Amino acid sequence: MNSIRDYLAANEARFVDELCAYVRFPSVSAQPNHRADLQACADWLRQHCQAIGLEASLCPTSGHPIVLARTPRSRGRNKPHYVVYGHYDVQPPEPFELWKSAPFEPRIEGRSLYGRGASDNKGQHLAHINAVEAYLRTGTELPCDLTFVIEGEEEVGSRSLAEFLKERRQDLRCEAVVVSDNGMPAPGLPALTYALRGVAALEIKLVGPNRDLHSGIFGGSVDNPAMALCQLLAQMRDRRGRVAVPGFYDDVLPLTSYERKQLARLPFNAKSYARFLGVPQLYGERGHTSWEQRSARPTFEINGLTSGYQGEGSKTIVPSWASAKITVRLVPNQQPARILRLVKKHLEHLCPPTVRAEIKTGHGGQPYLFSPTSPAAQAGLRALKTAFGRDPVLLREGGSIPIVTDFKRILGADTLLLGLALPDDNAHSPNEKFNLDNYAAGMRLGAALWPELAGTAA
Ligand code: BES
Ligand code: MN
């Protein structure tokens, strides 16, 4: 283990250069004009994996390719097998003008590496790959077989991966999946995440007059779809900050008192949290702390709202239509399909007869919950402690990684979530960054994890 640690420390500068090279690819999966960049990025990763001694290939899909990289298989000896998952696609960088430096020209300032995708998720899974490089290059025998599955469609709903898991079910059968695509509560404070929220998307369009109308000539005699949409959406939450859709909370698994106690131990200061987010005051479901609200309670969010004239100056119209993009975040045991049905039904029920509602339901992902007392979780906790030199905490996270429930359903494997992102890493925001201390700790984590999981740790 010492030689691995030494190797990681000795090669740190090169690992940073390699992360910069990886971040330089504008692998924006939501934007069709970046198709070739995703291909090039996947190809870079495949070559990199091959260069460090993994058996790597690009698997084409109907979307973006999946990079598959395995450790050379142990002959004769049956070692346990683990899958490491990550994604090389990134969120759109817009709005460009808010970036201090170009999103795909990585910049290092202090211990931060700035660039879109640095934290979500290129830096996090590259740390695991680097750890395995250290095993291979120092001739240290791995106590297990590993397969890296790095996809290019996570930020657009992992459309190809479930199919891929089914096709390769035999090859990918494993004891557990390891994922570092989430966060830790504070610098230096490692966490094992044992729950994720699910998500379900829908779009609503209220259609009124057959064209934009002069609001002086017609306004007052016909409903304004923008106004109707605002009133309709405003009814989706009540004064206690709860989602006002009948049946919405039916399947919500309440936090146990043990969990509430654990969450209450996490560092939190309402004032500095509000200042960090730039809001005058926090908001959330009454009767729950901020940590509970953002990780263990469901929400209804408007992600986008569009209607009428958006250009400069004013234009006096009654817009012909208004639309909203909505997602709900779900917690165990809410089911995306059922919740979408309830929300759609309620919106239709409340829609006034003066406009027509068109509701399209979109992608969904199930929430995830896994036992923090399982042997795999305990191994993860020990590896976190070794890597960070501090006792890890247990965490639920508010974000979603829908494929995690497919790992369970298709491969029968639980997922160990070992996040390396900091709360101020700006995932999905301008000036995304990854902390280089976390990058190094991630490599130490990758080094310590396999003997702990395989039960061969000293
Ligand atoms: N890495 C995030 C998910 C995440 C972030 C989990 C922080 C836990 C803590 C992932 O890339 C992501 O953003 N997922 C989307 C999923 C959606 C597109 C279906 C999300 O959560 O919005
Ligand atoms: Mn991610």
Side-chain angles (χ1 to χ4, degrees):
M1 201 41 91
N2 278 342
S3 63
I4 289 185
R5 288 266 187 148
D6 293 347
Y7 182 92
L8 291 175
N11 288 277
E12 201 176 328
R14 175 173 56 81
F15 289 140
V16 172
D17 288 344
E18 282 163 355
L19 179 53
C20 288
Y22 195 17
V23 170
R24 246 172 232 122
F25 292 95
S27 46
V28 184
S29 52
Q31 299 172 347
N33 59 319
H34 281 297
R35 197 175 180 85
D37 296 313
L38 278 123
Q39 177 76 34
C41 184
D43 208 48
W44 179 90
L45 185 63
R46 178 193 58 78
Q47 273 182 35
H48 176 74
C49 288
Q50 255 164 10
I52 64 170
L54 295 169
E55 297 165 359
S57 55
L58 272 197
C59 309
T61 71
S62 59
H64 304 299
I66 294 166
V67 181
L68 201 67
R70 338 189 301 166
T71 50
R73 287 299 184 257
S74 42
R75 253 170 250 125
R77 295 212 3 233
N78 244 349
K79 292 183 183 176
H81 177 218
Y82 297 93
V83 165
V84 183
Y85 165 82
H87 62 94
Y88 67 83
D89 65 321
V90 304
Q91 281 277 318
E94 285 86 348
F96 287 102
E97 64 281 8
L98 294 184
W99 284 80
K100 272 175 61 189
S101 55
F104 298 108
E105 285 166 29
R107 172 176 60 91
I108 293 168
E109 192 185 305
R111 292 299 284 161
S112 297
L113 192 160
Y114 285 85
R116 171 57 88 228
S119 170
D120 186 6
N121 170 256
K122 288 172 175 174
Q124 296 200 52
H125 64 259
L126 196 56
H128 284 280
I129 294 174
N130 295 342
V132 171
E133 171 188 326
Y135 272 93
L136 299 173
R137 284 290 161 81
T138 56
T140 312
E141 192 183 344
L142 271 160
C144 54
D145 292 332
L146 294 177
T147 304
F148 288 91
V149 177
I150 314 294
E151 70 153 320
E153 298 178 54
E154 196 275 346
E155 301 292 4
V156 289
S158 300
R159 273 178 289 230
S160 305
L161 188 56
E163 202 46 45
F164 182 82
L165 296 180
K166 279 181 208 150
E167 279 164 24
R168 309 278 181 125
R169 187 189 267 133
Q170 289 311 322
D171 289 345
L172 295 176
R173 280 239 306 248
C174 59
E175 311 295 319
V177 180
V178 170
V179 176
S180 291
D181 186 22
N182 51 304
M184 45 196 263
L189 181 58
L192 178 100
T193 294
Y194 66 96
L196 293 167
R197 285 197 288 194
V199 65
L202 69 138
E203 283 189 50
I204 178 166
K205 184 173 181 182
L206 293 190
V207 183
N210 55 12
R211 61 200 184 278
D212 289 353
L213 299 173
H214 191 297
S215 62
I217 299 174
F218 298 102
S221 66
V222 63
D223 200 0
N224 182 313
M227 193 62 107
L229 184 63
C230 291
Q231 286 185 317
L232 179 58
L233 294 177
Q235 294 176 73
M236 294 300 118
R237 70 184 196 190
D238 68 14
R239 262 179 285 176
R240 289 181 301 154
R242 283 168 70 93
V243 181
V245 173
F248 190 82
Y249 290 90
D250 284 359
D251 300 322
V252 170
L253 201 67
L255 282 161
T256 63
S257 59
Y258 172 75
E259 288 182 286
R260 295 191 85 168
K261 249 184 244 150
Q262 292 298 314
L263 286 174
R265 288 172 52 192
L266 294 171
F268 184 75
N269 176 303
K271 263 215 186 95
S272 57
Y273 187 55
R275 197 170 340 109
F276 166 56
L277 300 178
V279 293
Q281 199 184 311
L282 297 178
Y283 171 89
E285 184 185 353
R286 278 214 223 133
H288 291 279
T289 65
S290 285
W291 271 110
E292 292 172 6
Q293 289 163 354
R294 62 190 280 214
S295 67
R297 299 298 297 169
T299 62
F300 181 104
E301 306 282 0
I302 301 173
N303 307 129
L305 204 50
T306 312
S307 183
Y309 179 64
Q310 315 266 329
E312 255 180 78
S314 80
K315 188 181 184 200
T316 48
I317 56 166
V318 173
S320 163
W321 56 269
S323 71
K325 288 182 191 280
I326 291 160
T327 49
V328 285
R329 289 283 165 177
L330 309 175
V331 301
N333 293 320
Q334 290 177 299
Q335 287 299 319
R338 171 163 191 269
I339 294 295
L340 282 177
R341 214 165 41 239
L342 292 176
V343 171
K344 182 165 184 269
K345 195 170 131 202
H346 195 52
L347 286 167
E348 281 164 350
H349 172 67
L350 293 178
C351 179
T354 49
V355 288
R356 244 178 327 110
E358 292 170 8
I359 300 174
K360 274 190 282 187
T361 55
H363 63 88
Q366 293 183 345
Y368 184 67
L369 181 69
F370 143 83
S371 166
T373 58
S374 71
Q378 294 300 312
L381 287 167
R382 288 193 299 273
L384 283 167
K385 176 158 189 181
T386 304
F388 287 87
R390 186 161 166 198
D391 277 323
V393 292
L394 292 177
L395 203 64
R396 279 180 174 233
E397 282 258 44
S400 307
I401 311 177
I403 198 67
V404 161
T405 52
D406 290 324
F407 292 143
K408 183 78 189 179
R409 188 171 54 87
I410 301 168
L411 305 179
D414 276 312
T415 297
L416 214 50
L417 293 151
L418 306 168
L420 301 171
L422 291 179
D424 66 351
D425 269 1
N426 293 322
H428 297 206
S429 295
N431 303 305
E432 178 176 346
K433 64 171 181 63
F434 189 46
N435 183 283
L436 293 176
D437 294 328
N438 282 14
Y439 188 38
M443 296 181 216
R444 293 195 298 272
L445 173 66
L449 185 61
W450 308 118
E452 291 292 358
L453 276 172
T456 61

PDB file of all heavy atoms in Angstrom, residues 19-39:
ATOM      1  N   LEU A  19      -6.159  15.604 -15.999  1.00  0.00           N
ATOM      2  CA  LEU A  19      -7.531  16.070 -15.763  1.00  0.00           C
ATOM      3  C   LEU A  19      -7.811  17.315 -16.627  1.00  0.00           C
ATOM      4  O   LEU A  19      -8.896  17.448 -17.186  1.00  0.00           O
ATOM      5  CB  LEU A  19      -7.761  16.369 -14.271  1.00  0.00           C
ATOM      6  CG  LEU A  19      -9.149  16.895 -13.901  1.00  0.00           C
ATOM      7  CD1 LEU A  19     -10.263  15.981 -14.418  1.00  0.00           C
ATOM      8  CD2 LEU A  19      -9.282  17.068 -12.378  1.00  0.00           C
ATOM      9  N   CYS A  20      -6.812  18.192 -16.754  1.00  0.00           N
ATOM     10  CA  CYS A  20      -6.976  19.372 -17.617  1.00  0.00           C
ATOM     11  C   CYS A  20      -7.261  18.945 -19.058  1.00  0.00           C
ATOM     12  O   CYS A  20      -8.169  19.467 -19.709  1.00  0.00           O
ATOM     13  CB  CYS A  20      -5.731  20.261 -17.583  1.00  0.00           C
ATOM     14  SG  CYS A  20      -5.542  21.151 -16.024  1.00  0.00           S
ATOM     15  N   ALA A  21      -6.507  17.970 -19.535  1.00  0.00           N
ATOM     16  CA  ALA A  21      -6.706  17.498 -20.913  1.00  0.00           C
ATOM     17  C   ALA A  21      -8.126  16.948 -21.086  1.00  0.00           C
ATOM     18  O   ALA A  21      -8.790  17.180 -22.107  1.00  0.00           O
ATOM     19  CB  ALA A  21      -5.674  16.422 -21.244  1.00  0.00           C
ATOM     20  N   TYR A  22      -8.598  16.263 -20.075  1.00  0.00           N
ATOM     21  CA  TYR A  22      -9.935  15.635 -20.111  1.00  0.00           C
ATOM     22  C   TYR A  22     -11.029  16.714 -20.106  1.00  0.00           C
ATOM     23  O   TYR A  22     -12.020  16.627 -20.842  1.00  0.00           O
ATOM     24  CB  TYR A  22     -10.044  14.720 -18.884  1.00  0.00           C
ATOM     25  CG  TYR A  22     -11.153  13.698 -18.855  1.00  0.00           C
ATOM     26  CD1 TYR A  22     -11.843  13.314 -19.999  1.00  0.00           C
ATOM     27  CD2 TYR A  22     -11.492  13.075 -17.639  1.00  0.00           C
ATOM     28  CE1 TYR A  22     -12.851  12.353 -19.942  1.00  0.00           C
ATOM     29  CE2 TYR A  22     -12.493  12.114 -17.564  1.00  0.00           C
ATOM     30  CZ  TYR A  22     -13.169  11.759 -18.723  1.00  0.00           C
ATOM     31  OH  TYR A  22     -14.164  10.814 -18.654  1.00  0.00           O
ATOM     32  N   VAL A  23     -10.814  17.741 -19.272  1.00  0.00           N
ATOM     33  CA  VAL A  23     -11.819  18.809 -19.141  1.00  0.00           C
ATOM     34  C   VAL A  23     -11.883  19.673 -20.409  1.00  0.00           C
ATOM     35  O   VAL A  23     -12.900  20.293 -20.690  1.00  0.00           O
ATOM     36  CB  VAL A  23     -11.519  19.679 -17.886  1.00  0.00           C
ATOM     37  CG1 VAL A  23     -12.384  20.934 -17.838  1.00  0.00           C
ATOM     38  CG2 VAL A  23     -11.726  18.855 -16.614  1.00  0.00           C
ATOM     39  N   ARG A  24     -10.778  19.657 -21.183  1.00  0.00           N
ATOM     40  CA  ARG A  24     -10.760  20.488 -22.401  1.00  0.00           C
ATOM     41  C   ARG A  24     -11.798  20.051 -23.436  1.00  0.00           C
ATOM     42  O   ARG A  24     -12.201  20.842 -24.279  1.00  0.00           O
ATOM     43  CB  ARG A  24      -9.364  20.455 -23.021  1.00  0.00           C
ATOM     44  CG  ARG A  24      -8.716  21.807 -22.967  1.00  0.00           C
ATOM     45  CD  ARG A  24      -7.253  21.812 -23.402  1.00  0.00           C
ATOM     46  NE  ARG A  24      -6.493  22.459 -22.353  1.00  0.00           N
ATOM     47  CZ  ARG A  24      -5.480  21.924 -21.690  1.00  0.00           C
ATOM     48  NH1 ARG A  24      -5.044  20.718 -22.008  1.00  0.00           N
ATOM     49  NH2 ARG A  24      -4.904  22.581 -20.718  1.00  0.00           N
ATOM     50  N   PHE A  25     -12.262  18.813 -23.379  1.00  0.00           N
ATOM     51  CA  PHE A  25     -13.283  18.378 -24.351  1.00  0.00           C
ATOM     52  C   PHE A  25     -14.641  18.970 -23.966  1.00  0.00           C
ATOM     53  O   PHE A  25     -15.120  18.728 -22.850  1.00  0.00           O
ATOM     54  CB  PHE A  25     -13.407  16.852 -24.373  1.00  0.00           C
ATOM     55  CG  PHE A  25     -12.204  16.156 -24.937  1.00  0.00           C
ATOM     56  CD1 PHE A  25     -11.206  15.677 -24.098  1.00  0.00           C
ATOM     57  CD2 PHE A  25     -12.054  15.993 -26.309  1.00  0.00           C
ATOM     58  CE1 PHE A  25     -10.086  15.041 -24.610  1.00  0.00           C
ATOM     59  CE2 PHE A  25     -10.942  15.353 -26.841  1.00  0.00           C
ATOM     60  CZ  PHE A  25      -9.950  14.882 -25.978  1.00  0.00           C
ATOM     61  N   PRO A  26     -15.272  19.725 -24.872  1.00  0.00           N
ATOM     62  CA  PRO A  26     -16.603  20.266 -24.550  1.00  0.00           C
ATOM     63  C   PRO A  26     -17.680  19.202 -24.749  1.00  0.00           C
ATOM     64  O   PRO A  26     -18.481  19.266 -25.668  1.00  0.00           O
ATOM     65  CB  PRO A  26     -16.762  21.435 -25.531  1.00  0.00           C
ATOM     66  CG  PRO A  26     -15.830  21.153 -26.655  1.00  0.00           C
ATOM     67  CD  PRO A  26     -14.773  20.187 -26.173  1.00  0.00           C
ATOM     68  N   SER A  27     -17.712  18.240 -23.861  1.00  0.00           N
ATOM     69  CA  SER A  27     -18.592  17.076 -24.040  1.00  0.00           C
ATOM     70  C   SER A  27     -19.994  17.339 -23.474  1.00  0.00           C
ATOM     71  O   SER A  27     -20.412  16.725 -22.506  1.00  0.00           O
ATOM     72  CB  SER A  27     -17.947  15.846 -23.385  1.00  0.00           C
ATOM     73  OG  SER A  27     -17.458  16.160 -22.091  1.00  0.00           O
ATOM     74  N   VAL A  28     -20.686  18.264 -24.107  1.00  0.00           N
ATOM     75  CA  VAL A  28     -22.008  18.718 -23.656  1.00  0.00           C
ATOM     76  C   VAL A  28     -23.092  17.842 -24.291  1.00  0.00           C
ATOM     77  O   VAL A  28     -23.453  18.029 -25.453  1.00  0.00           O
ATOM     78  CB  VAL A  28     -22.248  20.191 -24.046  1.00  0.00           C
ATOM     79  CG1 VAL A  28     -23.573  20.688 -23.484  1.00  0.00           C
ATOM     80  CG2 VAL A  28     -21.097  21.069 -23.580  1.00  0.00           C
ATOM     81  N   SER A  29     -23.608  16.900 -23.526  1.00  0.00           N
ATOM     82  CA  SER A  29     -24.519  15.914 -24.125  1.00  0.00           C
ATOM     83  C   SER A  29     -25.864  16.494 -24.531  1.00  0.00           C
ATOM     84  O   SER A  29     -26.540  15.946 -25.397  1.00  0.00           O
ATOM     85  CB  SER A  29     -24.729  14.747 -23.156  1.00  0.00           C
ATOM     86  OG  SER A  29     -25.115  15.237 -21.882  1.00  0.00           O
ATOM     87  N   ALA A  30     -26.273  17.615 -23.936  1.00  0.00           N
ATOM     88  CA  ALA A  30     -27.589  18.176 -24.265  1.00  0.00           C
ATOM     89  C   ALA A  30     -27.593  18.866 -25.629  1.00  0.00           C
ATOM     90  O   ALA A  30     -28.663  19.101 -26.182  1.00  0.00           O
ATOM     91  CB  ALA A  30     -28.011  19.173 -23.181  1.00  0.00           C
ATOM     92  N   GLN A  31     -26.424  19.185 -26.164  1.00  0.00           N
ATOM     93  CA  GLN A  31     -26.358  19.987 -27.387  1.00  0.00           C
ATOM     94  C   GLN A  31     -25.843  19.156 -28.567  1.00  0.00           C
ATOM     95  O   GLN A  31     -24.690  18.740 -28.592  1.00  0.00           O
ATOM     96  CB  GLN A  31     -25.483  21.226 -27.141  1.00  0.00           C
ATOM     97  CG  GLN A  31     -26.070  22.100 -26.032  1.00  0.00           C
ATOM     98  CD  GLN A  31     -25.161  23.250 -25.598  1.00  0.00           C
ATOM     99  OE1 GLN A  31     -23.977  23.297 -25.932  1.00  0.00           O
ATOM    100  NE2 GLN A  31     -25.727  24.154 -24.820  1.00  0.00           N
ATOM    101  N   PRO A  32     -26.716  18.917 -29.565  1.00  0.00           N
ATOM    102  CA  PRO A  32     -26.383  18.035 -30.684  1.00  0.00           C
ATOM    103  C   PRO A  32     -25.118  18.450 -31.447  1.00  0.00           C
ATOM    104  O   PRO A  32     -24.408  17.597 -31.984  1.00  0.00           O
ATOM    105  CB  PRO A  32     -27.609  18.146 -31.610  1.00  0.00           C
ATOM    106  CG  PRO A  32     -28.710  18.676 -30.764  1.00  0.00           C
ATOM    107  CD  PRO A  32     -28.094  19.445 -29.642  1.00  0.00           C
ATOM    108  N   ASN A  33     -24.804  19.763 -31.455  1.00  0.00           N
ATOM    109  CA  ASN A  33     -23.599  20.191 -32.198  1.00  0.00           C
ATOM    110  C   ASN A  33     -22.302  19.714 -31.539  1.00  0.00           C
ATOM    111  O   ASN A  33     -21.235  19.853 -32.115  1.00  0.00           O
ATOM    112  CB  ASN A  33     -23.589  21.719 -32.364  1.00  0.00           C
ATOM    113  CG  ASN A  33     -23.622  22.440 -31.037  1.00  0.00           C
ATOM    114  OD1 ASN A  33     -24.347  22.024 -30.122  1.00  0.00           O
ATOM    115  ND2 ASN A  33     -22.837  23.483 -30.883  1.00  0.00           N
ATOM    116  N   HIS A  34     -22.392  19.145 -30.331  1.00  0.00           N
ATOM    117  CA  HIS A  34     -21.185  18.658 -29.654  1.00  0.00           C
ATOM    118  C   HIS A  34     -20.974  17.158 -29.808  1.00  0.00           C
ATOM    119  O   HIS A  34     -20.111  16.578 -29.147  1.00  0.00           O
ATOM    120  CB  HIS A  34     -21.233  19.018 -28.163  1.00  0.00           C
ATOM    121  CG  HIS A  34     -20.875  20.449 -27.895  1.00  0.00           C
ATOM    122  ND1 HIS A  34     -19.639  20.966 -28.182  1.00  0.00           N
ATOM    123  CD2 HIS A  34     -21.610  21.474 -27.398  1.00  0.00           C
ATOM    124  CE1 HIS A  34     -19.609  22.252 -27.854  1.00  0.00           C
ATOM    125  NE2 HIS A  34     -20.799  22.586 -27.389  1.00  0.00           N
ATOM    126  N   ARG A  35     -21.753  16.552 -30.673  1.00  0.00           N
ATOM    127  CA  ARG A  35     -21.672  15.104 -30.847  1.00  0.00           C
ATOM    128  C   ARG A  35     -20.232  14.612 -31.057  1.00  0.00           C
ATOM    129  O   ARG A  35     -19.775  13.678 -30.397  1.00  0.00           O
ATOM    130  CB  ARG A  35     -22.557  14.705 -32.043  1.00  0.00           C
ATOM    131  CG  ARG A  35     -22.871  13.252 -32.053  1.00  0.00           C
ATOM    132  CD  ARG A  35     -23.834  12.830 -33.147  1.00  0.00           C
ATOM    133  NE  ARG A  35     -23.998  11.402 -32.991  1.00  0.00           N
ATOM    134  CZ  ARG A  35     -24.862  10.846 -32.153  1.00  0.00           C
ATOM    135  NH1 ARG A  35     -25.688  11.615 -31.471  1.00  0.00           N
ATOM    136  NH2 ARG A  35     -24.915   9.551 -32.007  1.00  0.00           N
ATOM    137  N   ALA A  36     -19.526  15.284 -31.969  1.00  0.00           N
ATOM    138  CA  ALA A  36     -18.148  14.863 -32.275  1.00  0.00           C
ATOM    139  C   ALA A  36     -17.235  15.065 -31.063  1.00  0.00           C
ATOM    140  O   ALA A  36     -16.274  14.311 -30.864  1.00  0.00           O
ATOM    141  CB  ALA A  36     -17.614  15.636 -33.475  1.00  0.00           C
ATOM    142  N   ASP A  37     -17.516  16.080 -30.255  1.00  0.00           N
ATOM    143  CA  ASP A  37     -16.691  16.324 -29.062  1.00  0.00           C
ATOM    144  C   ASP A  37     -16.875  15.208 -28.040  1.00  0.00           C
ATOM    145  O   ASP A  37     -15.930  14.839 -27.340  1.00  0.00           O
ATOM    146  CB  ASP A  37     -17.059  17.671 -28.428  1.00  0.00           C
ATOM    147  CG  ASP A  37     -16.743  18.838 -29.364  1.00  0.00           C
ATOM    148  OD1 ASP A  37     -15.640  18.855 -29.930  1.00  0.00           O
ATOM    149  OD2 ASP A  37     -17.613  19.707 -29.520  1.00  0.00           O
ATOM    150  N   LEU A  38     -18.100  14.703 -27.933  1.00  0.00           N
ATOM    151  CA  LEU A  38     -18.339  13.585 -27.010  1.00  0.00           C
ATOM    152  C   LEU A  38     -17.572  12.359 -27.476  1.00  0.00           C
ATOM    153  O   LEU A  38     -16.944  11.660 -26.670  1.00  0.00           O
ATOM    154  CB  LEU A  38     -19.845  13.295 -26.889  1.00  0.00           C
ATOM    155  CG  LEU A  38     -20.503  14.249 -25.897  1.00  0.00           C
ATOM    156  CD1 LEU A  38     -21.628  15.021 -26.515  1.00  0.00           C
ATOM    157  CD2 LEU A  38     -20.957  13.519 -24.654  1.00  0.00           C
ATOM    158  N   GLN A  39     -17.627  12.106 -28.789  1.00  0.00           N
ATOM    159  CA  GLN A  39     -16.901  10.978 -29.360  1.00  0.00           C
ATOM    160  C   GLN A  39     -15.397  11.116 -29.081  1.00  0.00           C
ATOM    161  O   GLN A  39     -14.747  10.173 -28.619  1.00  0.00           O
ATOM    162  CB  GLN A  39     -17.177  10.934 -30.881  1.00  0.00           C
ATOM    163  CG  GLN A  39     -16.435   9.855 -31.642  1.00  0.00           C
ATOM    164  CD  GLN A  39     -17.035   8.472 -31.423  1.00  0.00           C
ATOM    165  OE1 GLN A  39     -18.257   8.332 -31.264  1.00  0.00           O
ATOM    166  NE2 GLN A  39     -16.185   7.448 -31.390  1.00  0.00           N
TER     167      GLN A  39
END
